[in-house]
Amino acid sequence: MDLFGSFTSGLGLVFGDEVIRIFAMIAIGLFFGMLVGSLPGFTTIMAMAILLPFSFNMDPLIGLPFLIGIYKGGIYGGSIPAILISMPGTGAAVATTFDGPALTKQGKARKALEMGLAASVFGDFISDIVTIVMIAPIAYIALQFGPPELMSVLILSLVVIASTTNGLFIKSLIMVFIGIGFAMIGTAPIGLITRFTFGWFPLTGGIPILPMLIGLFAVPEIFSAVEKRAASYIRDKSIDIRNTERLTRADLRRCFKTMCRSTMIGTWIGMVPGVGQVVAAFMGYAAAKNASDHPETFGHGELEGIAAAETANNAVNGPTMVPMLTLGIPGDNVTAILLGAFMIQGLTPGPELMIESGPMVYAVLISMVIANVLFLGIGWATIPMFARLVTIRKSILLPLTIIFAFAGSMVFHNQPFEIIYLIFFGVLGYILRKLRFDVAPLAMAFILARPLEEAFSQTLALSSGEMVPYLLTSRPIALAFLIATPLIAYFLWRRSVKLRRRMAEGT
Amino acid sequence: MNLRNITTTALGAVVAVTMTAGVALAQGFPSKPVEVILPMGAGGSHDLTGRAFSSVMADLLGQPMIIRPTPGGGGVVGQEAFASNTDHSGHVLLYSHNFFDQMQKHATDLPYDTDDFVTVARINFAPHVLFSQSSRGWTSLDELIAAIEAAPGTIKFGHSGQFGATHVPGARILQERGVLDKVEFVGFQGGGPLSQAIVTGEVDFAIMFPANVNRFGDQVTALGVGGPESLFGAPTFSELGLSEDLGFMMRVVFAHKDIPAANLATLREAFGALNDNRTYQRLMSNLQEDISSYQDGTDYEVLRGPQSAAFKSLVEALVGG
């Protein structure tokens, strides 16, 4: 059967006898995904791993879309605490904390959440359609990215991240190096060598990501809210969040270009196995800030900032599925779980799957598109509930946030020493904020340093120790990225200098 | 299963999982959900086989079983989380493998002693498959070795982690054939990234398991397999004159050695009934995982000592060589 024939048969499967059950299970998956994703400490991966066994007894046509619902809902759910209480549950939501909490403090939590939802759905929807139409080219592109290419993309990403955030470029670079330093602690990605643990066992596994993110981003927010002694988390308590400051068509029109740009960035990054949503969100944000006529508003409650990050991190979802479906290669942990879900349903992803079960593959991809439509409806209906959370008195909200922070840090691994990390990074984040350092490059460098180290050592082994000649003669894509990196760094540095000059002149 | 049932079950699961520290509802063992620590990440073959047996264990044991992935430190973090847990009643178990159990301690200092673990059951074992890229044209182990000797330092062996389940057997084979120092080792974190390196042709040969090798189809040529039976048309390691003390990854469920004897017997009985469960049979078959190699904990305990001795000599030889 050709690809078009498989597609039409896939359509027939989805809109056949099981249509209501498929829609219902996607909706249930979305709801649970959003619920679990919005709880600090729970991630999309955890939600999928917990709920995976419930798909075992379902027909593949129902069980797989159910898991896809959890996947999509979970990623959006992660942006909710990021926007409301600056608590990113995953690296993908870090870029959302740049503008989300600032909007919340201005009494625009609902608008920010609606923007996040609209952007997520837009990015996801377009990238899913691109995936369906371009499945073969995407599979081809994915195969061009081995360890050397991944290494060069990660180096470029770190440079972009360092130059995207607020403040001096040199300060961001310092944060990047500190982040890399923290990532070096523990067992090396390749090998059993432990480093910088100072004989303290809990450091053997490295610093866990959740206590670090919650500590760096949420704890300083709590301290500063206490410092300001405002009556409510929202500065102007006269704003009635239920009725005012909704997302308008004008907002959507203003952000449309940004969303299109971020969709393109996210879709491209999704094709590269192992890079994922974290890089996409930052690249989308960086591109929006650089293209903007008013970059100085980014980081201070700019709606476009949320649109850029949330569109890009969701646009990764569709293309990421392609290497898993067509080659049997999972690009990240979520697709690894989906690969297992396919296998346990008796469908083995790989080239044979497209030939033997092409309609089923397309049915799953089509259900991803449907999930987006349902996602919009369910998200829209639940936003008022979440938005109202931050209208409660600070004397209640702040202790609640502290409980979320502590519980979120250790809820899944149940390791008491994770609380120590939370406190350490909370205090560090607070001090850095007082010294006017932006902690985002630190967190991002921490997340990307280990895959970078792994890709670097693999490249070294693949080149038999002769990396430069190897890159020059055998890896043109990696070489192109490496050459582009200093040029892009220079361009971004020039822009940030101009911006600071403009702000100093008050124009 | 109708929609209402599924919804109810899913709701129940969320409640159960978020309330794992729940109050014991009944006397006897198990009196609350049984937690299984997995010293690896979610989504791998251990996670999936774990979820296959845990999904039916409520029927066999009378309490739900919850898999808790605790990755990090090449398995050390999860194993330590199990070893340091003070609940020795059998409500906390470990689902690991023979390399973490008996080999790692010879390769690095561990903050726990795996002799404190006692086997509940060996779920199965997976034989190693040594294979090369078909495009390289090597159809036997001898041809691969000849190619390595002809161009030392240029041929690349891919594995899924230092001193892990595919690194050590590969190193052992190369050592026995006298070419260990003539091969470039390229390590990946787990089977997924290694699979990609195989599909893209980054590595020349590797060791993985039958389910993985199936997915590669004609792209790879099997050169040898662990275990007593030939697979993919390749001879067994013993037929190739290689030692037989490696060649398998054993998937094993452990309890703490201080578990009350009656509780251990209850667990062993429940696991012993797994192979008769049709849902379990179907799930394992879909995962292309063998269930005939199931072994009772008492029998597997006998194998651990000799395994440790074999691993010890191997690691010493590798580190020394």
Side-chain angles (χ1 to χ4, degrees):
Chain A
M1 195 181 284
D2 62 1
L3 288 182
F4 186 71
S6 295
F7 172 72
T8 50
S9 302
L11 265 180
L13 281 175
V14 173
F15 291 97
D17 299 339
E18 299 281 9
V19 63
I20 293 173
R21 293 179 71 194
I22 294 173
F23 276 45
M25 288 316 293
I26 293 174
I28 292 170
L30 281 165
F31 180 75
F32 279 120
M34 271 178 61
L35 196 69
V36 178
S38 66
L39 288 172
F42 281 95
T43 64
T44 312
I45 297 163
M46 296 171 192
M48 289 185 73
I50 291 165
L51 296 171
L52 175 67
F54 297 102
S55 72
F56 291 175
N57 293 321
M58 300 176 194
D59 187 275
L61 197 56
I62 295 162
L64 294 171
F66 167 65
L67 291 171
I68 282 166
I70 299 169
Y71 177 26
K72 286 178 185 284
I75 290 169
Y76 168 67
S79 73
I80 295 171
I83 289 172
L84 297 180
I85 49 175
S86 192
M87 201 179 281
T90 62
V94 168
T96 309
T97 63
F98 295 167
D99 293 286
L103 282 163
T104 297
K105 285 176 195 159
Q106 294 163 19
K108 296 174 183 170
R110 186 162 181 180
K111 182 191 266 245
L113 288 171
E114 287 177 349
M115 186 73 247
L117 177 67
S120 298
V121 170
F122 182 87
D124 231 334
F125 189 82
I126 304 291
S127 87
D128 287 348
I129 289 173
V130 170
T131 303
I132 290 173
V133 175
M134 311 237 318
I135 192 162
I138 290 173
Y140 174 79
I141 292 168
L143 278 180
Q144 308 308 307
F145 279 78
E149 289 74 23
L150 184 59
M151 175 189 77
S152 54
V153 169
L154 289 172
I155 291 171
L156 174 63
S157 305
L158 281 176
V159 169
V160 171
I161 286 165
S163 50
T164 304
T165 49
N166 297 310
L168 285 171
F169 184 59
I170 188 74
K171 277 187 155 179
S172 295
L173 270 184
I174 292 169
M175 290 289 97
V176 165
F177 284 115
I178 292 176
I180 292 173
F182 281 128
M184 293 298 113
I185 294 170
T187 308
I190 305 287
L192 274 178
I193 304 158
T194 51
R195 309 173 293 202
F196 311 118
T197 60
F198 308 105
W200 191 48
F201 171 75
L203 284 173
T204 306
I207 295 168
I209 184 75
L210 282 175
M212 178 193 232
L213 288 181
I214 295 173
L216 281 178
F217 290 91
V219 173
E221 283 286 326
I222 297 167
F223 287 156
S224 70
V226 172
E227 268 179 351
K228 282 171 190 159
R229 297 184 183 183
S232 162
Y233 204 67
I234 298 164
R235 281 181 193 139
D236 186 354
K237 63 178 179 179
S238 64
I239 293 171
D240 183 352
I241 203 162
R242 283 163 291 177
N243 300 317
T244 57
E245 292 296 324
R246 302 281 306 270
L247 187 70
T248 62
R249 280 188 189 171
D251 292 327
L252 280 173
R253 266 200 301 276
R254 187 164 66 84
C255 296
F256 183 71
K257 222 189 220 178
T258 296
M259 281 156 60
C260 289
R261 190 188 309 107
S262 279
T263 302
M264 213 162 73
I265 291 168
T267 307
W268 268 104
I269 289 174
M271 294 179 201
V272 185
V275 179
Q277 291 144 350
V278 181
V279 169
F282 264 87
M283 291 290 195
Y285 190 88
K289 189 176 173 183
N290 279 299
S292 173
D293 295 331
H294 45 83
E296 66 278 7
T297 60
F298 280 71
H300 304 284
E302 173 57 60
L303 207 56
E304 259 186 86
I306 291 182
E310 284 298 309
T311 310
N313 69 24
N314 277 269
V316 168
N317 299 352
T320 304
M321 297 279 285
V322 175
M324 188 274 282
L325 287 171
T326 59
L327 306 165
I329 300 168
D332 56 20
N333 289 335
V334 171
T335 43
I337 293 176
L338 280 172
L339 174 73
F342 269 81
M343 287 183 67
I344 219 154
Q345 293 282 5
L347 300 163
T348 304
E352 296 296 312
L353 182 67
M354 289 302 288
I355 297 163
E356 290 168 8
S357 309
M360 177 57 75
V361 172
Y362 274 104
V364 170
L365 292 172
I366 291 163
S367 71
M368 287 176 68
V369 178
I370 294 167
N372 294 321
V373 180
L374 294 172
F375 184 12
L376 194 62
I378 293 170
W380 216 262
T382 51
I383 278 176
M385 181 181 81
F386 288 115
R388 283 196 67 175
L389 177 73
V390 287
T391 64
I392 60 178
R393 289 172 58 83
K394 197 176 73 170
S395 56
I396 297 168
L397 181 64
L398 286 185
L400 262 180
T401 310
I402 293 167
I403 291 170
F404 275 139
F406 276 79
S409 294
M410 60 172 290
V411 69
F412 205 70
H413 291 148
N414 204 16
Q415 302 279 13
F417 55 75
E418 299 201 345
I419 295 295
I420 298 171
Y421 294 125
L422 174 78
I423 295 167
F424 173 79
F425 284 105
V427 172
L428 180 71
Y430 180 72
I431 294 169
L432 288 172
R433 184 180 284 207
K434 286 286 174 195
L435 296 172
R436 297 186 178 279
F437 277 93
D438 188 342
V439 293
L442 189 160
M444 289 297 102
F446 174 79
I447 292 169
L448 298 180
R450 289 176 83 82
L452 175 59
E453 183 189 359
E454 191 182 345
F456 181 83
S457 63
Q458 286 160 354
T459 305
L460 206 57
L462 288 169
S463 65
S464 303
E466 302 286 337
M467 195 184 283
V468 175
Y470 176 67
L471 291 173
L472 283 171
T473 55
S474 311
R475 312 302 293 224
I477 298 174
L479 192 65
F481 277 112
L482 288 174
I483 292 171
T485 300
L487 300 176
I488 291 172
Y490 178 74
F491 168 76
L492 293 173
W493 174 74
R494 288 285 302 164
R495 263 193 76 91
S496 73
V497 168
K498 271 187 197 166
L499 175 63
R500 269 204 309 282
R501 201 173 291 154
R502 204 170 83 187
M503 286 172 76
E505 289 165 2
T507 51
Chain B
M1 201 179 218
N2 65 32
L3 195 62
R4 196 173 159 186
N5 281 346
I6 292 165
T7 316
T8 316
T9 321
L11 267 170
V14 171
V15 172
V17 167
T18 50
M19 307 281 281
T20 46
V23 180
L25 295 172
Q27 296 299 312
F29 176 81
S31 57
K32 59 182 181 183
V34 175
E35 179 185 337
V36 181
I37 295 175
L38 183 81
M40 295 151 231
S45 60
H46 250 75
D47 181 46
L48 291 166
T49 48
R51 286 178 201 285
F53 68 68
S54 66
S55 70
V56 299
M57 202 47 91
D59 294 337
L60 304 175
L61 201 57
Q63 285 286 350
M65 188 169 265
I66 297 150
I67 302 284
R68 186 188 286 277
T70 312
V76 177
V77 173
Q79 299 233 131
E80 201 279 337
F82 169 72
S84 61
N85 197 301
T86 51
D87 182 350
H88 298 161
S89 64
H91 287 100
V92 180
L93 304 175
L94 174 76
Y95 184 37
S96 188
H97 59 62
N98 52 331
F99 291 85
F100 286 171
D101 176 35
Q102 293 300 331
M103 196 197 64
Q104 242 175 19
K105 61 184 174 188
H106 302 303
T108 186
D109 289 332
L110 296 174
Y112 50 84
D113 185 355
T114 54
D115 289 344
D116 290 341
F117 306 169
V118 62
T119 311
V120 174
R122 179 180 76 182
I123 296 301
N124 69 2
F125 64 69
H128 289 115
V129 182
L130 171 72
F131 60 90
S132 65
Q133 299 277 357
S134 299
S135 59
R136 309 294 193 267
W138 309 316
T139 56
S140 67
L141 178 61
D142 287 340
E143 288 179 22
L144 168 66
I145 301 299
I148 292 168
E149 282 175 336
T154 61
I155 292 176
K156 295 169 185 76
F157 170 68
H159 63 85
S160 57
Q162 194 92 0
F163 289 114
T166 66
H167 168 241
V168 177
R172 174 58 167 258
I173 291 168
L174 297 171
Q175 187 194 39
E176 288 188 3
R177 289 301 179 102
V179 291
L180 181 61
D181 55 348
K182 294 174 182 165
V183 171
E184 192 71 56
F185 279 62
V186 189
F188 294 85
Q189 272 202 307
L194 175 58
S195 297
Q196 183 178 354
I198 291 158
V199 171
T200 54
E202 305 271 15
V203 294
D204 301 296
F205 70 107
I207 283 186
M208 290 187 90
F209 300 101
N212 309 106
V213 179
N214 255 331
R215 288 216 296 274
F216 302 133
D218 294 339
Q219 195 192 333
V220 300
T221 303
L223 306 176
V225 292
E229 290 172 24
S230 166
L231 282 173
F232 305 105
T236 63
F237 287 166
S238 57
E239 286 169 347
L240 290 167
L242 299 166
S243 48
E244 295 179 60
D245 51 9
L246 288 175
F248 300 102
M249 184 181 65
M250 319 267 189
R251 301 184 200 280
V252 189
V253 178
F254 294 104
H256 193 275
K257 70 169 186 190
D258 293 339
I259 182 175
N263 294 5
L264 182 60
T266 304
L267 285 169
R268 283 179 173 167
E269 190 185 341
F271 274 92
L274 268 177
N275 279 6
D276 296 328
N277 184 292
R278 287 194 178 175
T279 306
Y280 178 70
Q281 289 170 3
R282 176 175 61 82
L283 297 175
M284 291 295 273
S285 158
N286 285 346
L287 287 170
Q288 299 172 23
E289 289 285 345
D290 167 54
I291 59 170
S292 65
S293 52
Y294 175 88
Q295 194 170 33
D296 182 70
T298 320
D299 300 332
Y300 184 74
E301 276 296 306
V302 179
L303 301 180
R304 290 175 75 204
Q307 260 191 49
S308 178
F311 283 141
K312 185 169 187 276
S313 69
L314 173 59
V315 170
E316 282 170 358
L318 286 178
V319 173

